[in-house]
Amino acid sequence: MGIIPSWGGATRLVEIIGGRQALKVLSGALKLDSEKALNIGMVDDILPSSDETECLKEAQEWLQQFIKGPPEVIRALKKSVSSCKELCLEEALQRERDLLGTVWGGPANLEAVARKGKFNK
């Protein structure tokens, strides 16, 4: 199309797979199939089904591993991880402390403590 990626596409790709691989992908020098995408770190997994309906079911099942647990804890965890990429170290550490304060003593924390988790053995 005679243009370059925008809205952060190239920048995010470099963060994910590194500058050398991103240049190959964006220039068209590296043609990607699912195995190559997995090998360079562009995707996390390859689901086996090629059937559209089965594919959606597999994807939903695969995603379950990332959403187990209380939504407020998952949300805080995602914000904490994102801060590491977006902020300098000191700001990211402060953000992590601030986020801990939003879940510490909350329902999920109290329930986990009541179940006599690993800290009560």
Side-chain angles (χ1 to χ4, degrees):
M1 293 186 65
I3 58 173
I4 65 169
S6 59
W7 297 292
T11 303
R12 288 183 179 96
L13 187 62
V14 170
E15 282 185 23
I16 295 168
I17 64 174
R20 188 174 293 167
Q21 294 292 1
L23 189 57
K24 290 176 186 177
V25 170
L26 293 172
S27 69
L30 180 61
K31 303 296 183 206
L32 291 178
D33 59 17
S34 57
E35 287 295 328
K36 282 183 185 172
L38 182 64
N39 289 336
I40 67 171
M42 194 169 185
V43 299
D44 290 330
D45 209 346
I46 301 170
L47 302 177
S49 181
S50 59
D51 174 67
E52 187 175 324
T53 305
E54 188 63 26
C55 224
L56 179 58
K57 181 180 174 190
E58 284 179 17
Q60 290 170 334
E61 288 172 4
W62 181 81
L63 286 169
Q64 289 302 308
Q65 66 185 314
F66 300 106
I67 59 172
K68 288 180 184 172
E72 66 276 9
V73 175
I74 294 169
R75 191 175 304 112
L77 179 61
K78 289 169 74 175
K79 286 179 181 178
S80 180
V81 170
S82 293
S83 294
C84 295
K85 291 176 137 185
E86 299 167 358
L87 304 173
C88 71
L89 178 61
E90 289 302 318
E91 291 173 335
L93 290 169
Q94 183 59 51
R95 177 82 167 147
E96 185 176 323
R97 287 189 291 272
D98 294 344
L99 288 164
L100 174 62
T102 67
V103 293
W104 185 271
N109 178 230
L110 295 176
E111 183 180 320
V113 171
R115 284 193 315 261
K116 300 185 190 265
K118 67 180 181 180
F119 299 109
N120 289 337
K121 288 184 178 179

